[in-house]
Structures are given as C-alpha cells and as structure tokens.
Amino acid sequence: MNTPADRLTRRHFVGQLSLGAAALLLASRTRAADTPPSRKLGVVLVGLGNYATTELAPALQLTRRCRLVGVVTGEPATKGRDWARRYGFPEKNIYTYDTMHRMADNPAIDIVYVVTPNALHARDTIAAAKAGKHVISEKPMAVNVAECDAMIAACRSAGVKLSIGYRLHFDPYHQELMRLARDPTFGPFTKINGGFAFVMGHKVWRAERKLAGGGPLMDLGIYVIQNACMAVGGPTSPGGPYVAPVAVTAREGPKTKPEMFADVEQSIQWTLEFADGAPATGRTSYADSYNEFHDDAAHGWFEAKNAFSYNGIRARTSRGPLHFDPPVNQQARQMDDFAECVLANRESRVSGEMGRRDLAIIEAIYASAAAGGRRTPVRV
C-alpha cells in the first residue's frame, strides 16, 4: 500500500529529475553557444532611444554571432557620430530614416534591428527588407494586424527573415515554463494569471496613440499575453501555427490621470479563453506597480516575481525554487539565435507570424473593452 510518505518521496524524485533534465538542456544550449562562430553578422540599430542605448548595444558586446556595425538615426552628425566613435564602426555606416535604402549597397550589414516607436515599426521594417536585410522588429510588432501583414509580405518578397524582439523566449525561467507545460507529470496549465505594470511619472511617446498605438497593453500587457500562450501552447514549429485564444473578455479601468492618458488606456484587464478550456486572466497599468504571474497546472504550479524583467527573475514551482546560474543576457541570446537562423537558413522561433498573432489578440482585447462583453472568435 502506498503511504503519503511514499507518494511524497516519489513526487520529490520526479521533481528533482525534471529539474535535472532542465539543467542538462540548459547546459547543452550553453555548450552550443560556446561554439566559435564562422563569422559574426553585422547588425544595425534603427532608433537610438533608451532600449537601444542601455540594453541592445551593451548586449551586442556579449554576442558571439553578431556585431554592431551601424545605426539609423535622425541625428547623424551628433548622435550617429558619437555611436560610431563609441562602438568603432565607420561613419559611412550612419544612416538616416530617409537613406535606409542605401544599406543595400553595404555588404557589412546583415541584420537590421528596428527599435523605433511602435507606429514606425512597419515603415522601418519594410525599408530594411527592401534593402535586402534580415529584420528584427521590437515588440509589439506593429500597431495593428494590417501592418503586420504588410511587414511579413515585404520580408517574404525580399527573401529575408523576420523576427520579433521577444527576449523572454530565450530566458531560462520562461523556457522552463514552456517545458513544464509539455511535461505530462506536471502540465498542462489549467489556470493562468499574470500582470505587469509601472507608474508612469510623466507623459512620453508610449502614452500617445499616434506613436504607440495604445497604452500599457501594447507596451507591458503583451508580455502577459505571451506568458499565457507559453503556458497553454509552449513553443511550436517556427512560423506557426501558434496557439491563440478562441474568445476574449476585457474591461478598461478608470482614468485617474486623464491629462496624461487622454487617448490611450491607463489600465486594462482581460480574460483569454483557450480551446482546451484554460482561462488566462491578465492586467496591466501605467498607474500601478506589479510584475508577476502564477500559473496552475494539472499536477503543480509555477509562479514568478519580477517575472517579465531583463534580469532578477525569482521563480518557484510546486516542486521547489528555481535558480539558473550563471545569469543570462536575454537580448544577447535573442540576437545570437536570430543570427543562427540567418546562417542556417531556418525560421525564427519568434517569427513575424507570432507577432501578428499577438496583435490580433490585442485588437480583440481593445474591441471587447470598447463594446463590452465577450468577443469571439479571435481571428489570428
């Protein structure tokens, strides 16, 4: 007869075995990442705002398969030259938004990383594709599904690859979430809850619809949507099809700062319904502070604090705390993976089709919040 102590011992053993498998998988990926590259691909950053300056440029100094070879900026004589001096690329590799087409004549450039405001992603991605360069578009991919379709079409027509800046797919904690979703001794996940918010102190472009396409849902809520899709579907074949909800119910929160959020939401919450019945509730705000998720599975749970950050994620499961060491640079891993896609002629696991899916979900959330009630179907 099985005693409670016997069952506990077996559960502990299975849990430790699963964690050991995850560690071996991470180790194998680390060994692959240590393989010397045949050559480093040249990357140009389009838009030199905070994310490019404080995250992507430093990450490019850690990559093994990429190198920073140029920039696109509206201030070529000042900011552009400063970047050229700082990172050691020639001034001829400084472009403006009106001269991106000239990159076609520069064989040193392989990849263009678009880091401009959301409403400009389609313009700059299409320009890079027409110049014959592979493209990473920062998230959200665009401001609507129609723009996503135009970006995908432009890259296909030019024969270049398209990826979205979904860095968390290369973070070991989120990779473990996707692994557990497929583990029959743990998953599937049956109830998903997450939220991401910060307090916006003063109005910036992210609070202007004409540049951002929306408010915190576009900026922060997209991470919560990604968490839900990771927990329900995990990774799939590059290029899709990707798991998506069948229905959405959403409600916008009150505006306590209408002068700052005149044409975008200040906060919004939603529930995604998936075909297998798993509900995923999410929330986001520019007037609060939280960064977490808790996902319940058939045989356990997974929760994380600081869940969607660049580093410092704290996570645990019903089997015990998780800790991956040494820490990784999510952006460096993301860019190296795309370089490998280009070199091996394979599609990115975070493809344009995945970015399009998320915009379809976002559009459905906004539509539900505006009209009230449940919105179905969600067309992706």
Side-chain angles (χ1 to χ4, degrees):
M1 183 176 70
N2 291 337
T3 68
D6 292 331
R7 292 193 294 272
L8 180 60
T9 300
R10 279 196 293 274
R11 283 200 300 270
H12 178 76
F13 173 76
V14 171
Q16 293 303 310
L17 187 63
S18 297
L19 290 174
L24 288 172
L25 177 62
L26 183 63
S28 68
R29 288 172 176 166
T30 301
R31 286 193 295 271
D34 289 339
T35 304
S38 56
R39 71 181 181 97
K40 288 191 171 186
L41 301 189
V43 177
V44 164
L45 296 178
V46 183
L48 305 181
N50 182 67
Y51 190 63
T53 302
T54 63
E55 301 299 334
L56 294 180
L60 279 163
Q61 310 313 301
L62 303 175
T63 52
R64 293 183 55 78
R65 288 162 172 77
C66 305
R67 61 191 180 99
L68 180 60
V69 298
V71 294
V72 176
T73 175
E75 304 171 56
T78 53
K79 187 178 287 188
R81 286 178 177 171
D82 178 63
W83 275 65
R85 287 192 295 270
R86 188 185 315 170
Y87 292 106
F89 57 80
E91 291 190 7
K92 69 181 182 67
N93 289 5
I94 302 170
Y95 297 88
T96 68
Y97 299 102
D98 294 329
T99 62
M100 286 180 65
H101 62 279
R102 295 179 185 169
M103 290 192 292
D105 301 320
N106 192 334
I109 301 170
D110 300 285
I111 298 169
V112 170
Y113 198 140
V114 175
V115 208
T116 44
N118 307 342
L120 306 179
H121 288 180
R123 179 200 70 180
D124 298 332
T125 294
I126 292 169
K130 288 182 176 179
K133 307 304 177 182
H134 304 284
V135 188
I136 304 173
S137 172
E138 191 44 48
K139 62 83 196 166
M141 181 175 174
V143 297
N144 54 54
V145 170
E147 287 188 350
C148 295
D149 287 337
M151 295 162 72
I152 292 170
C155 289
R156 284 179 178 167
S157 177
V160 299
K161 299 191 182 301
L162 173 61
S163 183
I164 310 302
Y166 286 140
R167 56 186 170 79
L168 292 180
H169 280 262
F170 306 92
D171 177 87
Y173 293 95
H174 292 263
Q175 289 176 335
E176 177 67 355
L177 172 72
M178 290 185 282
R179 189 192 70 80
L180 288 172
R182 306 189 311 274
D183 182 349
T185 71
F186 192 94
F189 286 97
T190 56
K191 186 178 180 181
I192 300 153
N193 185 286
F196 193 12
F198 70 80
V199 177
M200 183 176 285
H202 59 278
K203 189 170 184 177
V204 295
W205 68 264
R206 294 183 184 279
E208 297 182 16
R209 183 173 297 278
K210 66 180 181 181
L211 289 176
L217 179 60
M218 299 288 270
D219 182 21
L220 308 175
I222 193 168
Y223 289 106
V224 183
I225 293 168
Q226 277 268 311
N227 170 257
C229 293
M230 285 178 179
V232 171
T236 59
S237 300
Y242 296 105
V243 65
V246 296
V248 170
T249 305
R251 178 172 60 86
E252 184 176 338
K255 292 185 180 182
T256 60
K257 298 179 180 179
E259 71 285 352
M260 187 177 293
F261 306 107
D263 62 349
V264 301
E265 77 280 3
Q266 177 178 305
S267 63
I268 193 168
Q269 58 187 38
W270 62 90
T271 298
L272 309 180
E273 301 172 38
F274 291 89
D276 63 0
T281 58
R283 64 198 188 283
T284 187
S285 175
Y286 275 153
D288 206 339
S289 182
Y290 42 82
N291 183 352
E292 61 195 13
F293 68 78
H294 181 103
D295 299 341
D296 290 312
H299 308 290
W301 49 263
F302 188 120
E303 69 177 19
K305 306 294 183 182
N306 213 32
F308 307 111
S309 299
Y310 304 142
N311 49 56
I313 296 173
R314 304 186 305 277
R316 61 177 185 155
T317 77
S318 50
R319 296 173 176 175
L322 292 176
H323 182 70
F324 294 98
D325 193 58
V328 304
N329 184 290
Q330 299 165 352
Q331 291 86 350
R333 279 189 164 196
Q334 171 206 325
M335 289 186 282
D336 270 342
D337 184 82
F338 187 58
E340 290 171 1
C341 290
V342 171
L343 291 168
N345 192 27
R346 60 177 171 84
E347 296 306 311
S348 170
R349 73 181 80 170
V350 287
S351 66
E353 287 78 9
M354 178 182 282
R356 183 192 187 279
R357 174 204 64 184
D358 292 348
L359 260 295
I361 296 171
I362 286 173
E363 286 188 345
I365 290 172
Y366 279 137
S368 174
R374 183 171 178 264
R375 184 166 184 86
T376 181
V378 179
R379 301 188 183 279
V380 296

